[in-house]
Coordinates of all heavy atoms in Angstrom, one line a residue:
S1 N -8.8 -19.4 18.6 CA -9.0 -18.1 19.2 C -7.9 -17.0 19.0 O -6.9 -17.5 18.4 CB -9.1 -18.3 20.8 OG -7.9 -18.8 21.3
T2 N -8.2 -15.9 19.3 CA -7.3 -14.8 19.2 C -7.3 -13.9 20.5 O -8.3 -13.3 20.8 CB -7.4 -14.0 17.9 OG1 -7.6 -14.8 16.9 CG2 -6.4 -12.9 17.8
S3 N -6.2 -14.0 21.2 CA -6.0 -13.0 22.3 C -5.3 -11.8 21.9 O -4.8 -11.8 20.6 CB -5.1 -13.9 23.5 OG -3.8 -14.0 22.9
S4 N -5.2 -10.8 22.7 CA -4.5 -9.7 22.3 C -3.0 -9.9 22.0 O -2.3 -9.3 21.1 CB -4.7 -8.6 23.4 OG -4.2 -9.0 24.6
A5 N -2.5 -10.7 22.8 CA -1.1 -11.1 22.8 C -0.9 -12.0 21.4 O 0.1 -11.7 20.7 CB -0.6 -12.0 23.9
G6 N -1.8 -12.9 21.1 CA -1.7 -13.6 19.8 C -1.7 -12.6 18.7 O -1.0 -12.8 17.7
A7 N -2.7 -11.7 18.7 CA -2.9 -10.8 17.7 C -1.7 -9.8 17.4 O -1.6 -9.4 16.3 CB -4.2 -10.0 17.8
A8 N -0.9 -9.7 18.4 CA 0.2 -8.8 18.2 C 1.3 -9.4 17.4 O 2.3 -8.8 17.0 CB 0.8 -8.4 19.6
R9 N 1.4 -10.7 17.2 CA 2.5 -11.3 16.6 C 2.5 -11.3 15.2 O 1.5 -11.4 14.6 CB 2.6 -12.8 17.1 CG 2.6 -13.1 18.6 CD 2.4 -14.6 18.9 NE 1.3 -15.1 18.2 CZ 1.0 -16.4 18.2 NH1 1.7 -17.2 18.9 NH2 -0.1 -16.9 17.6
I10 N 3.7 -11.3 14.4 CA 3.8 -11.4 13.1 C 5.0 -12.4 12.9 O 6.1 -12.1 13.4 CB 4.1 -10.2 12.3 CG1 4.1 -10.5 10.7 CG2 5.1 -9.3 12.7 CD1 4.0 -9.3 9.8
F11 N 4.7 -13.5 12.3 CA 5.7 -14.5 12.0 C 6.4 -14.3 10.6 O 5.6 -14.2 9.7 CB 5.2 -15.9 12.0 CG 4.7 -16.4 13.5 CD1 3.5 -16.2 13.9 CD2 5.7 -17.0 14.3 CE1 3.0 -16.7 15.1 CE2 5.4 -17.4 15.5 CZ 4.1 -17.2 16.0
L12 N 7.7 -14.1 10.5 CA 8.2 -13.9 9.3 C 9.2 -15.1 8.9 O 9.8 -15.7 9.7 CB 9.3 -12.8 9.2 CG 8.7 -11.4 9.8 CD1 9.8 -10.3 9.8 CD2 7.6 -11.0 8.9
E13 N 8.9 -15.6 7.7 CA 9.6 -16.7 7.2 C 10.0 -16.4 5.7 O 9.4 -15.9 4.9 CB 8.7 -18.0 7.0 CG 8.3 -18.5 8.6 CD 9.5 -18.9 9.3 OE1 10.6 -19.5 8.8 OE2 9.3 -18.9 10.6
F14 N 11.4 -16.7 5.5 CA 12.0 -16.5 4.2 C 12.6 -17.8 3.6 O 12.9 -18.6 4.5 CB 13.2 -15.4 4.4 CG 12.6 -14.1 5.0 CD1 12.8 -13.8 6.3 CD2 12.2 -13.1 4.0 CE1 12.3 -12.7 6.8 CE2 11.8 -11.8 4.6 CZ 11.9 -11.6 6.0
G15 N 12.6 -17.8 2.4 CA 13.1 -19.1 1.7 C 14.6 -19.2 1.7 O 15.1 -20.0 0.9
W16 N 15.2 -18.4 2.4 CA 16.8 -18.5 2.5 C 17.1 -18.1 3.9 O 16.3 -17.6 4.7 CB 17.4 -17.6 1.6 CG 17.1 -16.1 1.7 CD1 17.9 -15.1 2.5 CD2 15.9 -15.2 1.4 NE1 17.3 -14.0 2.5 CE2 16.2 -13.9 2.0 CE3 14.8 -15.7 0.8 CZ2 15.1 -12.9 1.6 CZ3 13.8 -14.7 0.7 CH2 14.0 -13.3 1.1
E17 N 18.3 -18.4 4.4 CA 18.8 -18.2 5.8 C 19.7 -17.0 5.9 O 19.7 -16.4 7.0 CB 19.5 -19.5 6.3 CG 18.6 -20.7 6.2 CD 17.7 -20.7 7.5 OE1 17.7 -19.9 8.2 OE2 16.9 -21.7 7.4
D18 N 20.4 -16.7 4.9 CA 21.5 -15.6 5.3 C 20.8 -14.2 5.1 O 19.9 -14.0 4.3 CB 22.6 -15.8 4.1 CG 22.1 -15.9 2.8 OD1 21.1 -16.6 2.5 OD2 22.7 -15.4 1.7
L19 N 21.3 -13.3 6.0 CA 20.7 -12.0 6.0 C 21.1 -11.3 4.9 O 22.3 -11.2 4.5 CB 21.3 -11.3 7.3 CG 20.7 -9.9 7.7 CD1 19.2 -10.1 8.1 CD2 21.5 -9.3 8.8
D20 N 20.2 -10.7 4.2 CA 20.5 -9.8 3.0 C 19.6 -8.6 3.0 O 18.8 -8.3 3.8 CB 20.3 -10.6 1.7 CG 18.8 -11.1 1.3 OD1 18.0 -10.8 2.2 OD2 18.6 -11.6 0.4
A21 N 19.6 -7.8 2.0 CA 19.0 -6.5 1.8 C 17.4 -6.7 1.8 O 16.6 -5.9 2.2 CB 19.4 -5.8 0.6
V22 N 17.0 -7.8 1.1 CA 15.6 -8.1 1.0 C 14.9 -8.5 2.4 O 13.9 -7.8 2.8 CB 15.2 -9.3 0.0 CG1 13.8 -9.6 -0.1 CG2 15.6 -8.7 -1.4
M23 N 15.7 -9.2 3.2 CA 15.2 -9.6 4.5 C 15.2 -8.3 5.3 O 14.1 -8.1 6.1 CB 16.1 -10.7 5.0 CG 15.5 -11.3 6.5 SD 16.6 -12.6 7.1 CE 16.6 -13.9 5.9
V24 N 16.2 -7.7 5.3 CA 16.2 -6.3 6.1 C 15.2 -5.3 5.7 O 14.4 -4.6 6.5 CB 17.6 -5.8 6.2 CG1 17.6 -4.4 6.8 CG2 18.7 -6.6 6.7
G25 N 15.0 -5.2 4.3 CA 14.0 -4.3 3.8 C 12.6 -4.7 4.2 O 11.7 -3.9 4.5
T26 N 12.3 -6.0 4.1 CA 11.0 -6.4 4.6 C 10.8 -6.1 6.0 O 9.6 -5.6 6.4 CB 10.9 -8.0 4.3 OG1 11.1 -8.3 3.0 CG2 9.5 -8.4 4.8
I27 N 11.6 -6.3 6.9 CA 11.6 -6.0 8.2 C 11.3 -4.4 8.4 O 10.4 -4.0 9.2 CB 12.7 -6.5 9.0 CG1 12.6 -8.0 9.1 CG2 12.6 -6.1 10.6 CD1 13.9 -8.5 9.7
E28 N 12.2 -3.6 7.7 CA 12.0 -2.3 7.7 C 10.6 -1.7 7.2 O 10.0 -0.9 7.6 CB 13.1 -1.5 7.0 CG 14.6 -1.6 7.6 CD 15.6 -1.0 6.8 OE1 15.3 -0.7 5.5 OE2 16.7 -0.6 7.3
G29 N 10.1 -2.4 6.2 CA 8.8 -2.0 5.7 C 7.7 -2.2 6.6 O 6.6 -1.6 6.4
L30 N 7.8 -3.2 7.5 CA 6.9 -3.4 8.7 C 6.8 -2.2 9.6 O 5.8 -2.1 10.3 CB 7.2 -4.6 9.3 CG 7.1 -5.9 8.7 CD1 7.4 -7.2 9.4 CD2 5.7 -6.1 8.0
A31 N 7.8 -1.3 9.5 CA 7.9 -0.2 10.5 C 6.7 0.7 10.2 O 6.3 1.6 11.1 CB 9.2 0.5 10.5
G32 N 6.2 0.8 8.9 CA 5.2 1.7 8.5 C 3.8 1.2 8.8 O 2.7 1.7 8.7
A33 N 3.7 -0.2 9.4 CA 2.4 -0.8 9.6 C 2.2 -0.7 11.1 O 2.9 0.0 11.8 CB 2.4 -2.2 9.1
R34 N 1.0 -1.2 11.5 CA 0.8 -1.2 13.0 C 1.9 -1.8 13.8 O 2.4 -2.8 13.3 CB -0.7 -1.8 13.4 CG -0.7 -3.2 13.1 CD -2.2 -3.6 13.5 NE -2.4 -5.0 13.2 CZ -2.1 -6.0 13.8 NH1 -1.5 -5.8 15.1 NH2 -2.6 -7.2 13.6
P35 N 2.1 -1.6 15.0 CA 3.1 -2.1 15.7 C 2.9 -3.7 16.0 O 1.7 -4.1 16.2 CB 3.1 -1.5 17.2 CG 2.5 -0.2 16.9 CD 1.4 -0.4 15.7
R36 N 3.9 -4.5 15.8 CA 3.9 -6.0 16.0 C 5.0 -6.5 16.6 O 6.1 -5.8 16.6 CB 3.6 -6.7 14.6 CG 2.3 -6.3 13.9 CD 2.3 -7.2 12.5 NE 1.0 -7.2 12.0 CZ 0.5 -6.2 11.2 NH1 1.2 -5.1 10.8 NH2 -0.6 -6.4 10.5
A37 N 4.8 -7.7 17.2 CA 6.0 -8.5 17.9 C 6.5 -9.4 16.8 O 5.6 -10.2 16.4 CB 5.5 -9.2 19.1
I38 N 7.7 -9.2 16.2 CA 8.2 -10.0 15.2 C 8.8 -11.3 15.7 O 9.4 -11.3 16.8 CB 9.2 -9.3 14.5 CG1 8.6 -8.0 13.7 CG2 9.9 -10.1 13.5 CD1 9.7 -7.2 13.0
R39 N 8.4 -12.4 15.3 CA 9.0 -13.7 15.5 C 9.4 -14.2 14.2 O 8.7 -14.4 13.2 CB 7.8 -14.5 16.1 CG 7.4 -14.0 17.5 CD 8.5 -14.1 18.5 NE 8.2 -13.6 19.8 CZ 8.3 -12.4 20.3 NH1 9.0 -11.6 19.4 NH2 8.0 -12.0 21.5
M40 N 10.6 -14.9 14.3 CA 11.2 -15.9 13.1 C 11.5 -17.1 13.8 O 12.6 -17.2 14.4 CB 12.3 -15.1 12.5 CG 12.0 -13.7 11.9 SD 13.5 -12.8 11.3 CE 13.9 -13.9 9.9
V41 N 10.7 -18.2 13.5 CA 10.9 -19.4 14.3 C 11.6 -20.4 13.4 O 12.1 -21.5 13.9 CB 9.6 -20.0 14.8 CG1 9.0 -19.1 15.7 CG2 8.7 -20.4 13.7
G42 N 11.8 -20.1 12.1 CA 12.6 -21.1 11.2 C 11.9 -22.2 10.7 O 12.4 -23.2 10.3
G43 N 10.5 -22.1 10.8 CA 9.6 -23.2 10.3 C 8.3 -22.6 9.9 O 7.4 -22.2 10.7
A44 N 7.9 -22.6 8.7 CA 6.7 -21.9 8.1 C 5.6 -22.7 8.5 O 4.5 -22.1 8.9 CB 6.8 -21.9 6.6
A45 N 5.5 -24.0 8.6 CA 4.4 -24.8 8.9 C 4.1 -24.6 10.4 O 3.0 -24.5 10.7 CB 4.6 -26.4 8.6
Y46 N 5.1 -24.7 11.2 CA 4.9 -24.5 12.6 C 4.4 -23.1 13.0 O 3.4 -23.0 13.6 CB 6.4 -24.5 13.3 CG 6.4 -24.5 14.8 CD1 6.2 -25.6 15.7 CD2 6.5 -23.2 15.5 CE1 6.2 -25.5 17.0 CE2 6.6 -23.2 16.9 CZ 6.4 -24.3 17.6 OH 6.4 -24.0 18.9
A47 N 4.8 -22.0 12.2 CA 4.3 -20.7 12.4 C 2.8 -20.6 11.9 O 2.0 -20.0 12.6 CB 5.0 -19.7 11.6
L48 N 2.5 -21.3 10.8 CA 1.1 -21.3 10.3 C 0.1 -21.9 11.2 O -1.0 -21.6 11.4 CB 1.1 -21.9 8.9 CG 1.6 -21.0 7.7 CD1 1.8 -21.8 6.6 CD2 0.6 -19.9 7.6

């Protein structure tokens, strides 16, 4: 199912842990899309 709260989430997962320009740039790139609640849970399978 999809609730309004569920639809608002975007899970971000990166293949590395340290903060860098690509990770920051990806998050900044989302600013041009529709508003979303960003979540980084540290597990791609769990998020999927």
Side-chain angles (χ1 to χ4, degrees):
S1 63
T2 302
S3 66
S4 58
R9 305 172 307 173
I10 179 167
F11 292 91
L12 303 182
E13 293 295 332
F14 300 93
W16 65 100
E17 298 283 356
D18 48 325
L19 188 67
D20 69 354
V22 173
M23 191 181 293
V24 173
T26 301
I27 295 171
E28 288 180 342
L30 296 175
R34 66 177 174 86
R36 289 178 170 88
I38 293 176
R39 293 293 180 266
M40 298 175 66
V41 299
Y46 183 88
L48 282 166

